[in-house]
Amino acid sequence: MEKKCSTPIPTRIPILLVLLILASSMAHAQNASAAQVSIPLPAVYATSEGEVGVLTNLTVWVTNGTGHVFVDTAPFTQVDMQGSARLSSMVACDITSIDPETRDFFYVLHTDSPVIGGPSAGAAMTVATVAALMNWTIDPGVVMTGMINPDCSIGAVGGISAKLNASAEKGAHTFLIPAGQGNVTLTEHIIEQNGSLVTVEEHSVTIDMISLGEVQGIRVMEIDDLRDAIRIYTGYEIPNVLLTGEVQTSAYMDAMQPLAATLLDESRVQYDDTDAVADPEFRDALESQVLAIKDAQSDYDAKNYYASMSRSFNTMINLRHIRWYSECLVSDEGDPAEYIADRIEQVENEISNAELAIDDAKSENGVLEGIGAAESRLSIAREKLNDAEKAEYAGDAIELLAFSMERARCAQWWATLSCAGSGAAIPDDLIRDRAGRYYSQAASMLAYADALISETGGCKTLIMSAADDLSRARSELHAGYYAGAIYDSLHAMVQANTAIELIGIEDLDEKVNNSERDAISSIISARESGAEPILAVSAYEHAKILEPSQMGKIVDYGYAKMVARTAQSFTGQRNVSMVYTADVPGYAHNDACSNISDGNRRGGGCTAQTPALQGWEAAGAIAAVYLVRRLRWCW
């Protein structure tokens, strides 16, 4: 039966319009210079007889743009393919030192296989993205499976033997797998029938992937870093440039020192005021604050001023809680409602003061990340105030109010610190646009990380914490706190990324060291570009001095790295000159123009690479393709 179009005739898009869009897009595309990159992706799907491997094709191209990531798949893939594409674009820009906000990324995956997932394609997608960014040719005889991690490491995947079989059948000469997966253990089911009785036995079989590859005439290699994969695919070596230097500069410490001294003095005054009214039941808690003040003094003497400030902040929260609760217990007529109402008004006034301080910092072109930290803390103060107003018990309300009060004061400190740097005027439209993009990016990364963690049983704590950050960023977007939304979104991204990176890792020592190294390099690089990354240095100091857990250190160092790079991107100097070494012996192949098809390698030289579309021309081409499909389906 002929398929009828369900769309009414008057609403159909004129064919002439489609042709005009196509013609315009093709005309403008002729002036583009970047080329599309195609790469084979191995995948598996389950059948009644076990896993079956299949080789699909991914096409990637990159244009000048504003940080969008477009994914077109047929048939539809799992949601993690969307997350893999977004993560691939991030890592590719990270490793090439290209600002992702200056590019748009296009991923087209068409396959005849059933629905497939994205994590195991992440590493190959990233290689293709790097090649598209750099306009490099890749060797289609290389096939890789592996998840990409934000730190450029290659994560473990499943179905390796089935993927190897499919790659060998299609004529691949090299098959790359994650390090540590050279031996794969599979479960075989042996079915025996004796009359009406059927028994199924399971046997574990370990397969040596390298030996299996040799039998099939394909070289199997274990790799643990994206740079190795890029070298094998393209013959180009991307250097891992790491900068070293002092993280806590004299300018940074000069800005922090007066505030750290002020907070130390305030914490001592608060202790005396609290000691005079503290209820006896808080005597032990009060005494513990003496030790906290001593620790803050020790950090101050060691010139770890942010660590000292952070300890003083926590001490003042505890002291205010003790004092206010003690005062509430002896309030007039024993009715805490009026006392709490007075404290709510006091906190509201402090929040108003914080808003004024932030407005002043903006008018003075304060450092954006300092303003972002202030807005984030102001948002938290508002959250705790709202929670306090809804609290059922007086003790809970006072605890929340004490935290809200100090958070509002902390927001004022950060607003003051933001003016200590050399902030350059950044257009409001740019900040607002970047906030929206970062929020969208963080939401995508969180969904991707949550899906992976649910499958692998990784760290759910990081996912929940990232969700809290993202929720706050969403509120900040609605409130117009765009700087706060930027840095809360970045923190959400870091936690989601860390959750992915830690999948299957038990010994975190090396990861902590590498994270610290990367944070230092990014901070130094940001300074060399003219930025003063005060929030990044503060996060670094928190990890170094205060954070007790390894996972927390990784998050703090990761945040320091991302914040520093964001500061650098706002200076317009994110891109750096890098030297790439080509034709590395033993990895690059001269037959990189060959195609994999039906197990045979086709010669005959390279076909001309199709130029990528730029800017609105790319959008026009995509729209045209969509319209043609709609019309075709309706005819």
Side-chain angles (χ1 to χ4, degrees), residues 215-528:
V215 172
Q216 297 178 325
I218 184 171
R219 182 186 184 190
V220 178
M221 302 175 62
E222 294 186 39
I223 57 171
D224 58 7
D225 188 89
L226 180 66
R227 290 177 177 83
D228 295 331
I230 292 171
R231 183 173 67 245
I232 295 168
Y233 267 102
T234 70
Y236 285 91
E237 178 135 15
I238 295 182
N240 188 14
V241 179
L242 294 173
L243 303 180
T244 59
E246 292 295 329
V247 173
Q248 296 163 296
T249 62
S250 58
Y252 170 81
M253 290 190 289
D254 288 346
M256 290 289 190
Q257 184 272 334
L259 187 52
T262 299
L263 296 184
L264 259 176
D265 290 341
E266 285 191 19
S267 66
R268 292 191 175 98
V269 170
Q270 278 207 34
Y271 177 84
D272 292 338
D273 293 344
T274 304
D275 185 41
V277 300
D279 188 87
E281 71 173 284
F282 294 113
R283 186 54 51 186
D284 290 341
L286 187 61
E287 289 303 317
S288 68
Q289 303 312 304
V290 175
L291 298 177
I293 293 174
K294 288 181 178 179
D295 289 339
Q297 181 66 58
S298 296
D299 283 328
Y300 181 87
D301 294 339
K303 298 184 178 180
N304 295 318
Y305 297 127
Y306 175 78
S308 177
M309 291 164 55
S310 183
R311 292 189 196 275
S312 295
F313 166 72
N314 288 322
T315 298
M316 285 190 283
I317 291 176
N318 295 330
L319 290 172
R320 189 175 297 278
H321 178 211
I322 293 171
R323 184 171 79 254
W324 280 0
Y325 195 80
S326 297
E327 291 174 349
C328 183
L329 291 175
V330 296
S331 59
D332 292 344
E333 300 179 0
D335 182 10
E338 183 176 352
Y339 180 86
I340 291 175
D342 289 341
R343 298 291 75 75
I344 288 176
E345 183 178 359
Q346 185 177 352
V347 172
E348 288 175 339
N349 290 335
E350 200 66 40
I351 288 176
S352 296
N353 292 335
E355 289 178 329
L356 292 175
I358 292 172
D359 288 340
D360 288 343
K362 290 179 179 179
S363 67
E364 296 178 21
N365 292 331
V367 176
L368 183 65
E369 59 197 74
I371 294 174
E375 289 183 342
S376 175
R377 284 151 180 78
L378 178 59
S379 297
I380 295 173
R382 289 187 178 280
E383 290 174 6
K384 299 305 179 183
L385 174 60
N386 292 335
D387 291 342
E389 291 174 334
K390 300 173 185 176
E392 184 176 353
Y393 301 104
D396 294 338
I398 290 173
E399 183 178 7
L400 290 165
L401 287 169
F403 191 93
S404 177
M405 181 73 171
E406 295 304 328
R407 269 302 180 192
R409 297 180 70 232
C410 184
Q412 297 176 58
W413 307 337
W414 273 105
T416 301
L417 282 174
S418 74
C419 296
S422 55
I426 302 174
D428 291 339
D429 289 346
L430 175 60
I431 297 174
R432 182 170 58 251
D433 179 72
R434 189 73 66 92
R437 293 186 186 282
Y438 283 4
Y439 174 80
S440 176
Q441 183 90 326
S444 176
M445 289 307 306
L446 178 56
Y448 181 45
D450 191 22
L452 290 180
I453 295 303
S454 298
E455 294 177 3
T456 61
C459 183
K460 201 71 175 178
T461 301
L462 288 173
I463 299 299
M464 293 187 292
S465 183
D468 290 340
D469 286 334
L470 197 62
S471 176
R472 186 175 307 112
R474 182 169 58 251
S475 298
E476 288 160 349
L477 282 173
H478 292 315
Y481 295 157
Y482 300 118
I486 285 175
Y487 293 100
D488 279 330
S489 294
L490 290 177
H491 200 260
M493 266 191 273
V494 169
Q495 294 194 93
N497 289 345
T498 302
I500 295 172
E501 291 176 1
L502 297 186
I503 292 175
I505 297 180
E506 297 180 359
D507 184 2
L508 299 182
D509 290 340
E510 183 179 1
K511 179 63 180 172
V512 170
N513 293 335
N514 291 340
S515 298
E516 180 181 4
R517 177 201 65 193
D518 292 342
I520 293 173
S521 181
S522 297
I523 289 170
I524 302 303
S525 179
R527 282 210 180 100
E528 290 185 351

Side-chain angles (χ1 to χ4, degrees), residues 24-64:
S24 175
S25 299
M26 292 174 65
H28 285 280
Q30 293 176 357
N31 297 322
S33 58
Q36 294 180 353
V37 174
S38 292
I39 194 169
L41 297 181
V44 295
Y45 61 94
T47 69
S48 59
E49 299 178 355
E51 291 183 332
V52 174
V54 62
L55 214 58
T56 65
N57 182 74
L58 172 72
T59 301
V60 180
W61 71 93
V62 181
T63 70
N64 292 330

Side-chain angles (χ1 to χ4, degrees), residues 508-573:
L508 299 182
D509 290 340
E510 183 179 1
K511 179 63 180 172
V512 170
N513 293 335
N514 291 340
S515 298
E516 180 181 4
R517 177 201 65 193
D518 292 342
I520 293 173
S521 181
S522 297
I523 289 170
I524 302 303
S525 179
R527 282 210 180 100
E528 290 185 351
S529 73
E532 180 49 48
I534 57 173
L535 182 57
V537 178
S538 299
Y540 175 88
E541 189 176 335
H542 187 276
K544 192 75 174 177
I545 307 299
L546 298 177
E547 178 55 52
S549 72
Q550 290 177 306
M551 186 172 69
K553 287 180 181 293
I554 294 169
V555 170
D556 281 346
Y557 286 137
Y559 187 56
K561 170 184 172 181
M562 188 167 285
V563 168
R565 292 189 173 184
T566 300
Q568 188 171 357
S569 74
F570 275 111
T571 69
Q573 299 183 40

